[in-house]
Amino acid sequence: ELTMYGSDLEVLVMSPGEYELARLMREPTPADLGDFVMSPMPGTLVSFTVKEGDVVELDQELCVVEAMKMQNVIRSHRAGATVGRLRGEVGASLKADEILLEFERKAEEPMAA
C-alpha cells in the first residue's frame, strides 16, 4: 500500500519476467459449492438429524456441530433438495469448511465447470 499526496493506492511490484507470466494467467473461477453443506467452524460432529434420501426444506435442521462447548445447529440452505450422501462421521473432529453432507444433483441441473 502506498500513500502519496493524500491518496492511498495498492501497488504490486513485479520483475519483468513475473509481469509477462502474470499477463498470461487467467482469474480462477470459484467452485460451485451449492450442493454441499460445510462445517462453518472447527469442532465435533455431534449428530445428523437427516439420513440419505431425505427431502429437506429451507432452514430444516441437518446436523449439530459442537465447538467450544456450544452446540451449533446447521440448517439447510435449499428447499426441496434430496440428501445424497452424509460425509461426516458422528463424533469426528471437523475442520472449518469440511464437507458434512451433499445434496443429490437433479438430472436437469448442469455440472458446474
Side-chain angles (χ1 to χ4, degrees), residues 10-110:
E10 285 202 24
V11 179
L12 178 62
V13 178
M14 295 184 200
S15 70
E18 289 173 321
Y19 172 74
E20 289 301 320
L21 291 173
R23 284 186 14 182
L24 301 173
M25 295 178 68
R26 294 188 194 141
E27 284 291 320
T29 55
D32 178 17
L33 300 173
D35 289 335
F36 300 101
V37 175
M38 299 186 294
S39 177
M41 67 203 78
T44 303
L45 181 59
V46 175
S47 65
F48 279 110
T49 55
V50 294
K51 57 187 182 304
E52 293 179 6
D54 285 356
V55 176
V56 297
E57 297 303 319
L58 186 63
D59 287 332
Q60 179 178 337
E61 182 178 325
L62 300 173
C63 60
V64 178
V65 174
E66 183 178 285
M68 297 174 57
K69 305 216 187 257
M70 299 250 331
Q71 292 194 349
N72 302 283
V73 175
I74 309 300
R75 299 187 176 277
S76 173
H77 59 277
R78 293 176 62 178
T82 303
V83 177
R85 184 171 155 211
L86 302 177
R87 289 214 183 167
E89 189 174 319
V90 174
S93 293
L94 302 170
K95 296 181 271 186
D97 296 330
E98 187 171 335
I99 296 174
L100 299 171
L101 65 88
E102 63 183 272
F103 294 117
E104 288 182 356
R105 184 174 296 277
K106 293 182 181 166
E108 66 270 6
E109 291 180 14

